[in-house]
């Protein structure tokens, strides 16, 4: 990869940025991706940013070369997806430590990588169709009081896929999501975190949608003790909710149940 960027300050309120990135992979073609941004700050509280980006996603090993008897076949002709993305972000400082804003975005995808069932009844990944999406987000984050930080956001987005003259809603894609996170640091003891989120149902590869769901987690990470150790405890799916994500074409069920309440305990050692 090769990346260059130019930062031009037009005046005390306006700043322009331009970037260009070149990527090369041994198994797919070169990709040249520009990035343009304009940032306007009329005062110390308000920040407005407009940007345009082109990016790509190269096919991974599973999509390109994985094979299994009677189930999957490879596709050496698979090439990268291309993504064009633009967004407008309006952010305002409410206090010295708390800010929030609203953003709008739109994106277009070409050479979309998706699985199909070929004439031999095998699952194969191919470049097919194009997709376009748009949405927005409202968010607030920062420090409420000493040692207590918060992040909350609601986002809405729609993604449609067009192929063979037909337009359909993308699968495995929530339209509405709500996320919240609280973190409190007790000095010389630990940092306590609580996060919770809700998302609307996702469209299945087969007919129908998954149910919408809430899920929450807590995380406790100790401060360093004996100058080199830290303990980290995380409890996922805190309230033991049942929820599902869509299955893929290679799976027989329409949706897959996700993990129930589970615990992760780790010890970090600085050597």
């Amino acid at each position: 990869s090769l990346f260059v960027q130019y930062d031009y300050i037009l005046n005390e309120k306006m700043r322009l940025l331009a970037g260009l990135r070149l990527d090369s992979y041994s198994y797919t073609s070169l990709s040249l991706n520009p990035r343009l941004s304009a940032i306007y700050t009329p005062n110390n509280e308000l920040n407005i940013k407009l940007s345009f980006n082109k990016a790509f996603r190269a096919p991974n090993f599973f999509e390109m070369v994985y094979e299994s008897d009677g189930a999957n076949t490879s596709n050496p002709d698979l090439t990268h997806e291309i993504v064009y993305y633009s967004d407008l972000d309006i952010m305002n400082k409410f206090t010295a430590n708390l800010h929030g804003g609203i953003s709008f975005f739109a994106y277009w995808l070409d050479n979309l990588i998706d699985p199909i069932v070929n004439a031999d009844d095998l699952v194969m990944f191919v470049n097919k169709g194009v997709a376009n999406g748009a949405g927005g987000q409202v968010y607030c984050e920062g420090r409420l009081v000493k040692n207590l930080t918060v992040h909350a956001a609601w986002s809405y987005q729609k993604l449609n896929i067009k192929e063979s003259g037909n337009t359909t809603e993308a699968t495995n894609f929530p339209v509405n999501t709500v996320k919240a996170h609280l973190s409190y640091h007790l000095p010389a003891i630990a940092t306590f975190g609580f996060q919770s989120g809700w998302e609307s149902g996702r469209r299945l590869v087969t007919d129908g949608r998954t149910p919408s769901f809430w899920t929450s987690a807590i995380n406790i990470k100790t401060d360093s003790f004996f100058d080199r150790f830290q303990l980290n405890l995380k409890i996922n799916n805190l309230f033991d909710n049942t929820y599902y994500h869509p299955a893929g074409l290679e799976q027989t069920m329409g949706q897959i149940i996700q993990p129930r309440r589970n615990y992760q305990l780790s010890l970090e050692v600085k050597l």
Side-chain angles (χ1 to χ4, degrees), residues 8 17 20 32 37 50 76 103 126 131 133 141 155 158 163 165 222 238 242 248-249 263 265 267 270:
Y8 178 68
L17 294 95
L20 192 64
L32 187 64
S37 297
L50 177 65
S103 62
V126 298
E141 59 187 0
S155 64
K158 291 282 286 185
E163 58 182 64
T222 67
L238 179 64
T242 301
L249 280 175
Y263 305 84
L265 180 63
L267 175 66
K270 296 179 181 179

Side-chain angles (χ1 to χ4, degrees), residues 207-219:
D207 292 334
R209 310 182 75 88
T210 60
S212 59
F213 66 89
W214 278 100
T215 187
S216 302
I218 59 173
N219 189 84

Side-chain angles (χ1 to χ4, degrees), residues 157-159 169-176 200-212 244-246 254-255:
Q157 57 182 322
K158 291 282 286 185
L159 177 63
E169 181 186 352
T171 59
N172 199 9
F173 194 85
V175 174
N176 286 279
S200 57
R202 306 182 184 199
R203 181 171 172 261
L204 302 174
V205 174
T206 56
D207 292 334
R209 310 182 75 88
T210 60
S212 59
Y244 303 84
H245 283 170
Q255 51 189 344

Side-chain angles (χ1 to χ4, degrees), residues 139-166:
Y139 63 92
C140 180
E141 59 187 0
R143 190 167 71 243
L144 292 178
V145 294
K146 185 179 180 180
N147 299 332
L148 178 63
T149 60
V150 61
H151 172 84
W154 166 72
S155 64
Y156 171 88
Q157 57 182 322
K158 291 282 286 185
L159 177 63
N160 295 316
I161 298 175
K162 182 181 290 186
E163 58 182 64
S164 304
N166 298 317

Side-chain angles (χ1 to χ4, degrees), residues 37-163:
S37 297
I39 303 172
Y40 179 58
T41 52
N43 53 53
N44 292 332
E45 288 76 37
L46 185 62
N47 185 85
I48 302 172
K49 180 179 180 181
L50 177 65
S51 64
F52 170 81
N53 305 279
K54 175 179 177 285
F56 82 108
R57 185 182 77 85
N60 59 42
F61 178 85
F62 177 78
E63 293 167 336
M64 197 167 193
V65 303
Y66 178 74
E67 294 186 348
S68 62
D69 291 340
N72 298 75
T73 187
S74 61
N75 182 5
D77 297 323
L78 200 63
T79 188
H80 52 253
E81 294 179 337
I82 300 173
V83 183
Y84 300 93
Y85 181 87
S86 63
D87 73 296
L88 171 66
D89 183 69
I90 304 170
M91 187 271 287
N92 189 74
K93 288 185 178 180
F94 304 122
T95 69
N97 301 310
L98 186 67
H99 67 272
I102 185 170
S103 62
F104 305 94
F105 52 86
Y107 50 94
W108 302 263
L109 297 91
D110 199 7
N111 290 339
L112 199 63
I113 297 174
D114 257 339
I116 65 167
V117 178
N118 66 11
D120 298 321
D121 203 29
L122 298 174
V123 174
M124 178 175 69
F125 285 88
V126 298
N127 296 105
K128 64 169 188 174
V130 297
N132 59 81
Q137 177 179 239
V138 179
Y139 63 92
C140 180
E141 59 187 0
R143 190 167 71 243
L144 292 178
V145 294
K146 185 179 180 180
N147 299 332
L148 178 63
T149 60
V150 61
H151 172 84
W154 166 72
S155 64
Y156 171 88
Q157 57 182 322
K158 291 282 286 185
L159 177 63
N160 295 316
I161 298 175
K162 182 181 290 186
E163 58 182 64

